Amino acid sequence: MKVLVVYVSTHHGNTRKIAEVIAEVLQAPLKRVDEVSVGEVEDYELMGFGSGIYGGRHHKGLLGFVEKLPSCFGKKAFIFSTKGGTPTFLNHWLLRKRLLSKGFEVLGEFSCKGFDTFGPLRFIRGLNKGRPNERDLSNARVFAEGLKSKAGFFG
Ligand SMILES: Cc1cc2nc3c(=O)[nH]c(=O)nc-3n(C[C@H](O)[C@H](O)[C@H](O)COP(=O)(O)O)c2cc1C
Protein backbone atom coordinates (compact mmCIF):
# COMPACT_ATOMS: atom_id res chain seq x y z
CA MET A 1 0.00 0.00 0.00
CA LYS A 2 1.33 3.44 -0.91
CA VAL A 3 1.34 5.70 2.16
CA LEU A 4 2.31 9.33 2.70
CA VAL A 5 2.57 11.23 5.99
CA VAL A 6 2.11 15.02 5.77
CA TYR A 7 2.72 17.31 8.73
CA VAL A 8 3.29 20.84 10.04
CA SER A 9 5.28 21.38 13.23
CA THR A 10 6.09 25.02 13.91
CA HIS A 11 6.17 25.55 17.68
CA HIS A 12 8.75 23.14 19.15
CA GLY A 13 8.96 20.30 16.60
CA ASN A 14 6.66 18.23 18.84
CA THR A 15 4.45 16.90 16.07
CA ARG A 16 7.45 16.10 13.92
CA LYS A 17 8.57 13.55 16.55
CA ILE A 18 5.19 11.80 16.36
CA ALA A 19 5.14 12.01 12.56
CA GLU A 20 8.60 10.40 12.35
CA VAL A 21 7.52 7.40 14.43
CA ILE A 22 4.32 6.88 12.46
CA ALA A 23 6.12 7.21 9.11
CA GLU A 24 8.78 4.73 10.24
CA VAL A 25 6.21 2.11 11.25
CA LEU A 26 4.29 2.56 8.00
CA GLN A 27 7.53 2.75 5.97
CA ALA A 28 6.14 5.90 4.41
CA PRO A 29 7.76 9.09 3.17
CA LEU A 30 7.35 12.00 5.58
CA LYS A 31 6.82 15.46 4.10
CA ARG A 32 6.08 18.91 5.41
CA VAL A 33 2.91 20.23 3.86
CA ASP A 34 4.88 22.83 1.87
CA GLU A 35 6.86 19.98 0.27
CA VAL A 36 3.78 18.25 -1.18
CA SER A 37 1.77 19.23 -4.24
CA VAL A 38 -1.95 18.64 -4.47
CA GLY A 39 -1.44 16.48 -7.59
CA GLU A 40 0.93 14.12 -5.75
CA VAL A 41 -1.94 12.83 -3.64
CA GLU A 42 -3.08 10.79 -6.65
CA ASP A 43 -0.14 8.43 -5.99
CA TYR A 44 -1.18 7.39 -2.47
CA GLU A 45 -3.87 5.11 -1.04
CA LEU A 46 -3.41 6.03 2.64
CA MET A 47 -2.45 9.49 3.87
CA GLY A 48 -1.74 10.81 7.36
CA PHE A 49 -2.29 14.47 8.21
CA GLY A 50 -0.96 16.03 11.41
CA SER A 51 0.19 19.21 13.10
CA GLY A 52 0.26 21.00 16.41
CA ILE A 53 -3.03 22.48 17.54
CA TYR A 54 -3.14 26.24 17.19
CA GLY A 55 -6.27 28.08 18.33
CA GLY A 56 -8.21 24.83 18.71
CA ARG A 57 -7.54 23.43 15.26
CA HIS A 58 -4.80 22.05 13.03
CA HIS A 59 -2.34 24.39 11.34
CA LYS A 60 -3.97 26.54 8.69
CA GLY A 61 -1.44 25.39 6.09
CA LEU A 62 -2.58 21.80 6.58
CA LEU A 63 -6.27 22.70 6.59
CA GLY A 64 -5.76 24.81 3.46
CA PHE A 65 -3.94 21.97 1.71
CA VAL A 66 -6.78 19.53 2.37
CA GLU A 67 -9.30 22.12 1.18
CA LYS A 68 -7.48 22.29 -2.19
CA LEU A 69 -7.43 18.53 -2.78
CA PRO A 70 -9.52 17.01 -5.53
CA SER A 71 -12.12 14.37 -4.69
CA CYS A 72 -10.42 11.50 -2.84
CA PHE A 73 -13.17 8.85 -2.76
CA GLY A 74 -11.69 5.41 -2.18
CA LYS A 75 -8.65 6.78 -0.32
CA LYS A 76 -7.99 6.30 3.37
CA ALA A 77 -6.65 8.84 5.86
CA PHE A 78 -5.63 9.24 9.48
CA ILE A 79 -5.26 12.31 11.67
CA PHE A 80 -2.69 13.12 14.34
CA SER A 81 -1.75 16.09 16.49
CA THR A 82 0.10 17.33 19.53
CA LYS A 83 -1.51 19.87 21.80
CA GLY A 84 -1.20 21.94 24.94
CA GLY A 85 -4.35 20.51 26.44
CA THR A 86 -7.63 21.35 24.68
CA PRO A 87 -9.87 18.32 23.92
CA THR A 88 -8.96 16.23 20.89
CA PHE A 89 -12.54 15.77 19.67
CA LEU A 90 -12.76 19.57 19.32
CA ASN A 91 -9.21 20.04 17.99
CA HIS A 92 -9.65 17.42 15.25
CA TRP A 93 -13.18 18.37 14.25
CA LEU A 94 -12.38 20.70 11.35
CA LEU A 95 -9.68 18.57 9.71
CA ARG A 96 -11.87 15.46 10.04
CA LYS A 97 -14.80 17.30 8.46
CA ARG A 98 -12.65 18.45 5.53
CA LEU A 99 -11.20 14.98 4.94
CA LEU A 100 -14.66 13.40 5.01
CA SER A 101 -15.98 16.04 2.63
CA LYS A 102 -13.21 15.08 0.17
CA GLY A 103 -14.31 11.45 0.35
CA PHE A 104 -11.53 10.04 2.55
CA GLU A 105 -12.34 7.21 4.91
CA VAL A 106 -10.79 8.28 8.25
CA LEU A 107 -9.30 5.14 9.81
CA GLY A 108 -8.07 6.58 13.10
CA GLU A 109 -6.92 9.57 15.10
CA PHE A 110 -4.00 10.08 17.48
CA SER A 111 -3.14 12.95 19.78
CA CYS A 112 -0.82 13.57 22.71
CA LYS A 113 0.46 16.50 24.70
CA GLY A 114 3.37 18.59 23.45
CA PHE A 115 5.63 21.16 25.10
CA ASP A 116 3.78 24.47 24.97
CA THR A 117 5.22 27.91 25.66
CA PHE A 118 2.55 29.91 23.86
CA GLY A 119 1.82 33.40 25.21
CA PRO A 120 1.87 33.74 29.01
CA LEU A 121 2.87 30.06 29.39
CA ARG A 122 6.46 31.15 28.80
CA PHE A 123 6.38 32.90 32.19
CA ILE A 124 5.92 29.53 33.88
CA ARG A 125 8.54 27.94 31.56
CA GLY A 126 5.84 26.22 29.57
CA LEU A 127 3.38 23.35 29.92
CA ASN A 128 4.05 19.66 29.26
CA LYS A 129 7.83 19.87 29.48
CA GLY A 130 9.49 16.86 27.85
CA ARG A 131 6.39 15.88 25.85
CA PRO A 132 6.06 14.04 23.62
CA ASN A 133 8.00 11.62 25.80
CA GLU A 134 8.98 7.96 25.29
CA ARG A 135 5.52 6.78 26.32
CA ASP A 136 3.87 9.13 23.79
CA LEU A 137 6.18 7.85 21.05
CA SER A 138 5.40 4.28 22.01
CA ASN A 139 1.64 5.03 21.91
CA ALA A 140 2.13 6.55 18.45
CA ARG A 141 3.90 3.36 17.37
CA VAL A 142 0.98 1.23 18.61
CA PHE A 143 -1.45 3.55 16.79
CA ALA A 144 0.48 3.15 13.52
CA GLU A 145 0.61 -0.64 13.91
CA GLY A 146 -3.17 -0.59 14.37
CA LEU A 147 -3.55 1.38 11.15
CA LYS A 148 -1.78 -1.34 9.23
CA SER A 149 -4.42 -3.91 10.07
CA LYS A 150 -7.30 -1.45 9.56
CA ALA A 151 -5.96 -0.48 6.14
CA GLY A 152 -5.31 -4.06 5.01
CA PHE A 153 -1.64 -3.16 4.78
CA PHE A 154 0.67 -5.66 3.08
CA GLY A 155 3.99 -3.89 3.57
C1 LIG B 1 -0.10 30.08 18.47
C2 LIG B 1 -0.35 28.83 19.31
C3 LIG B 1 -1.67 28.47 19.60
C4 LIG B 1 -1.92 27.30 20.35
N1 LIG B 1 -3.22 26.94 20.59
C5 LIG B 1 -3.47 25.80 21.26
C6 LIG B 1 -4.82 25.36 21.48
O1 LIG B 1 -5.79 26.00 21.09
N2 LIG B 1 -5.00 24.20 22.16
C7 LIG B 1 -3.97 23.45 22.64
O2 LIG B 1 -4.22 22.40 23.25
N3 LIG B 1 -2.68 23.81 22.42
C8 LIG B 1 -2.41 24.96 21.74
N4 LIG B 1 -1.10 25.32 21.49
C9 LIG B 1 -0.01 24.42 21.93
C10 LIG B 1 0.47 23.53 20.78
O3 LIG B 1 -0.59 22.83 20.18
C11 LIG B 1 1.48 22.50 21.30
O4 LIG B 1 2.60 23.12 21.89
C12 LIG B 1 1.93 21.59 20.15
O5 LIG B 1 2.61 20.48 20.69
C13 LIG B 1 2.82 22.32 19.15
O6 LIG B 1 3.23 21.42 18.17
P1 LIG B 1 4.51 21.68 17.23
O7 LIG B 1 5.72 21.82 18.13
O8 LIG B 1 4.55 20.47 16.38
O9 LIG B 1 4.19 22.93 16.47
C14 LIG B 1 -0.83 26.49 20.80
C15 LIG B 1 0.50 26.88 20.50
C16 LIG B 1 0.75 28.03 19.76
C17 LIG B 1 2.16 28.42 19.45
Side-chain angles (χ1 to χ4, degrees):
M1 174 171 277
K2 288 201 74 180
V3 191
L4 176 66
V5 180
V6 182
Y7 76 99
V8 180
S9 185
T10 56
H11 191 33
H12 287 291
N14 298 330
T15 314
R16 183 179 170 91
K17 292 178 188 160
I18 296 297
E20 281 171 352
V21 164
I22 294 175
E24 187 195 321
V25 172
L26 297 177
Q27 296 176 349
L30 173 62
K31 296 191 180 189
R32 286 197 321 263
V33 76
D34 56 296
E35 297 172 324
V36 192
S37 69
V38 165
E40 244 176 280
V41 168
E42 253 326 291
D43 302 342
Y44 299 97
E45 298 157 270
L46 171 64
M47 295 187 64
F49 298 92
S51 75
I53 296 299
Y54 317 98
R57 52 181 60 177
H58 282 84
H59 190 273
K60 61 179 190 298
L62 193 66
L63 290 165
F65 179 76
V66 172
E67 186 82 331
K68 282 186 289 180
L69 293 178
S71 169
C72 288
F73 281 94
K75 292 186 188 293
K76 299 175 198 301
F78 62 90
I79 298 172
F80 60 98
S81 67
T82 65
K83 61 179 182 175
T86 56
T88 301
F89 74 95
L90 293 177
N91 297 337
H92 284 194
W93 181 82
L94 186 56
L95 179 56
R96 186 189 317 114
K97 186 175 131 190
R98 288 204 181 165
L99 290 170
L100 292 173
S101 79
K102 292 295 174 179
F104 281 101
E105 180 191 353
V106 178
L107 294 184
E109 303 185 26
F110 176 88
S111 187
C112 69
K113 289 190 173 168
F115 184 46
D116 182 7
T117 54
F118 177 51
L121 291 175
R122 70 180 183 278
F123 297 120
I124 56 161
R125 299 205 181 132
L127 270 188
N128 313 325
K129 202 164 190 311
R131 306 284 296 271
N133 57 20
E134 279 310 314
R135 174 176 283 206
D136 296 319
L137 299 181
S138 157
N139 288 341
R141 217 165 272 125
V142 170
F143 169 75
E145 289 292 348
L147 286 171
K148 283 190 186 177
S149 40
K150 280 191 195 160
F153 193 99
F154 299 107

